[in-house]
Amino acid sequence: MRKIILQSMITVDGRFAGPKGDISWHNVDEEYNHYALNFLSSLDTLLFGRVTYELMQSYWPTTYAIENDPRIAKYMNSLSKIVFSKTLDKVTWNNTKLFSDILVEEITELKQLSGKDMAILGSSKLANAFIKYDLIDEFRIIVNPLVLGQGISLFQGLQSQLNLKLLKAEAFQSGNVLLQYTKK
């Protein structure tokens, strides 16, 4: 069975984005890119909410991204993508499907198809909806050595406690720490 993995960078104070959605603070270097390439190669589908989709779609297909980060851009542009949005009426990034609602039965069917894993990248509202419906199998949280003090919490709006079991903790030279969890 395919897993759904929530992958997100956060700050020490739990923010996945700063005020107005700013992510310029992401601590990305060659070591992180090596991790990201390995992670992306284990996937065949990316899952986005509207805001994250619009951010990713505005960057990864650009000439700038393709020339300056060709290895990551190759995966981001070639992987299948599903966007969950009630407000978008079309998507323009290649290999992208638009779903207006999260239908648990459809997602469960997707998980049972053969193939590689799927990942939610960021997308706080989508992640919290998937948590509510018990659809996330693994959490990969990369803590950046930074406190923003304000911004958007990754788990903002979560209505119930979520107990996790640590699978792996890995420190990067940059000070980032990967925390990999599954549900208890």
Side-chain angles (χ1 to χ4, degrees):
M1 181 189 272
R2 300 163 69 191
K3 294 185 295 190
I4 293 180
I5 301 166
L6 170 60
Q7 158 87 33
S8 187
M9 280 194 164
I10 65 168
T11 61
V12 171
D13 57 340
R15 312 295 181 181
F16 90 101
K20 300 179 184 176
D22 175 43
I23 60 169
S24 63
W25 52 267
H26 279 193
N27 193 2
V28 174
D29 61 7
E30 192 55 39
E31 184 181 25
Y32 174 78
N33 280 339
H34 178 75
Y35 162 79
L37 286 167
N38 285 336
F39 178 63
L40 290 169
S41 72
S42 72
L43 306 173
D44 64 16
T45 306
L46 300 173
L47 308 170
F48 297 115
R50 179 192 55 81
V51 173
T52 304
Y53 165 76
E54 288 176 340
L55 177 71
M56 298 286 189
Q57 189 274 330
S58 73
Y59 178 72
W60 288 111
T62 67
T63 301
Y64 179 84
I66 293 167
E67 289 176 355
N68 289 290
D69 202 350
R71 297 172 302 163
I72 301 289
K74 178 182 174 187
Y75 280 107
M76 295 300 292
N77 291 316
S78 65
L79 288 170
S80 294
K81 294 165 274 297
I82 299 173
V83 179
F84 295 86
S85 174
K86 293 183 185 308
T87 57
L88 289 177
D89 55 5
K90 67 177 182 172
V91 290
T92 57
W93 197 3
N94 61 319
N95 304 322
T96 303
K97 294 179 184 175
L98 178 61
F99 287 27
S100 60
D101 287 308
I102 298 170
L103 300 174
V104 175
E105 300 80 24
E106 283 184 357
I107 304 304
T108 301
E109 287 176 17
L110 283 173
K111 288 175 73 169
Q112 293 175 1
L113 295 175
S114 63
K116 295 180 178 181
D117 292 333
M118 301 177 278
I120 298 171
L121 302 181
S123 297
S124 175
K125 289 179 184 175
L126 181 64
N128 286 303
F130 272 56
I131 290 169
K132 176 183 173 183
Y133 297 123
D134 195 31
L135 294 168
I136 297 179
D137 303 292
E138 188 177 306
F139 298 78
R140 292 189 184 190
I141 309 299
I142 298 155
V143 182
N144 282 221
L146 171 74
V147 174
L148 285 177
Q150 57 183 326
I152 305 165
S153 168
L154 179 60
F155 299 107
Q156 188 168 309
L158 191 63
Q159 298 295 314
S160 60
Q161 181 172 313
L162 182 62
N163 296 313
L164 302 174
K165 176 184 173 188
L166 183 65
L167 298 174
K168 177 181 179 182
E170 178 183 346
F172 291 74
Q173 296 278 334
S174 64
N176 287 351
V177 177
L178 168 64
L179 300 171
Q180 195 170 334
Y181 296 98
T182 189
K183 297 177 294 186
K184 275 192 175 179

